[in-house]
Amino acid sequence: MNVRGELVTLRAMGPDDASALWRWNHDPTVVRWMNAGYPQTENRVRTWLTERPRNDYGDVLFGIEVTAGGQLIGLVRLHGAEADTGCAELDIYLGEQDHWGKGYGTDAMRTVCRYGFDHMRLHRITLTVVTENLAAHHVYRKVGFVDEGRLRQSFRRDGRWYDKFVMGLLADELR
């Protein structure tokens, strides 16, 4: 099942996406404000995509494709979803830098949040963002997320500690 936005289509990811995912995860500019983990081989990424459990209520991973042309440019994930609380966490990034600042990230955010609220019947979606990641923070606020708190010195990059904003979006706040 694909989920369409205005500019992007969200679709399940699979082993054929390993090369792109590996490339993005090894690009220092792309992963600048992310917990990138440890370096993996492309084969390990392919194995992870092959063995990863199927999308289900608790964990949904989508590739972000440009609708016009079908190019995979990023990924978005709703995880930790709990039916009892109607809450989930969101992770997103665009790996193709030539698509940054053109509305694809905003459209992907709106599309996945709409999917979470309408299809999964979530009530609340949360995320964290490094306070210095101004572009991402702007996109999140644009779609309706609000700052709910601050995690002090919770992200380390280049020998320096950074704070993170905790942000939340309720079902009736999506713009």
Side-chain angles (χ1 to χ4, degrees), residues 86-87 113 117 122-126 143-146 148 167-175:
C87 298
C113 289
F117 294 136
L122 295 174
H123 175 67
R124 173 184 175 74
I125 298 173
T126 62
V143 300
F145 279 84
V146 297
E148 296 182 332
M167 301 184 78
L169 177 71
L170 302 178
D172 62 355
E173 296 173 335
L174 180 62
R175 294 186 227 146

Side-chain angles (χ1 to χ4, degrees), residues 3-10 65-71 104 107:
V3 184
R4 293 192 70 148
E6 292 181 22
L7 301 173
V8 301
T9 300
L10 307 182
E65 285 187 349
V66 176
T67 301
Q71 180 185 0
Y104 296 108
D107 189 45

Side-chain angles (χ1 to χ4, degrees), residues 43-167:
N43 282 338
R44 179 65 194 116
V45 173
R46 182 172 283 101
T47 299
W48 177 77
L49 286 168
T50 301
E51 296 175 354
R52 184 183 183 284
R54 294 175 60 175
N55 282 343
D56 64 18
Y57 183 84
D59 191 353
V60 181
L61 174 67
F62 289 115
I64 303 168
E65 285 187 349
V66 176
T67 301
Q71 180 185 0
L72 182 68
I73 61 168
L75 63 85
V76 63
R77 181 178 176 205
L78 287 171
H79 59 97
E82 297 181 16
D84 291 347
T85 62
C87 298
E89 295 179 45
L90 187 145
D91 297 320
I92 184 171
Y93 74 98
L94 296 185
E96 299 298 336
Q97 293 179 53
D98 59 336
H99 287 76
W100 291 3
K102 297 181 179 176
Y104 296 108
T106 302
D107 189 45
M109 286 291 296
R110 283 190 182 113
T111 303
V112 77
C113 289
R114 189 178 66 246
Y115 175 85
F117 294 136
D118 294 347
H119 182 76
M120 297 172 67
R121 298 186 180 150
L122 295 174
H123 175 67
R124 173 184 175 74
I125 298 173
T126 62
L127 58 82
T128 61
V129 59
V130 177
T131 54
E132 277 74 6
N133 190 348
L134 302 177
H137 189 246
H138 172 75
V139 168
Y140 304 152
R141 291 181 57 86
K142 188 185 220 181
V143 300
F145 279 84
V146 297
D147 296 330
E148 296 182 332
R150 188 178 195 113
L151 301 171
R152 297 178 307 136
Q153 297 185 12
S154 58
F155 181 83
R156 187 172 173 88
R157 178 69 71 226
D158 301 328
R160 181 173 165 215
W161 287 101
Y162 296 90
D163 294 354
K164 285 184 177 180
F165 290 123
V166 177
M167 301 184 78

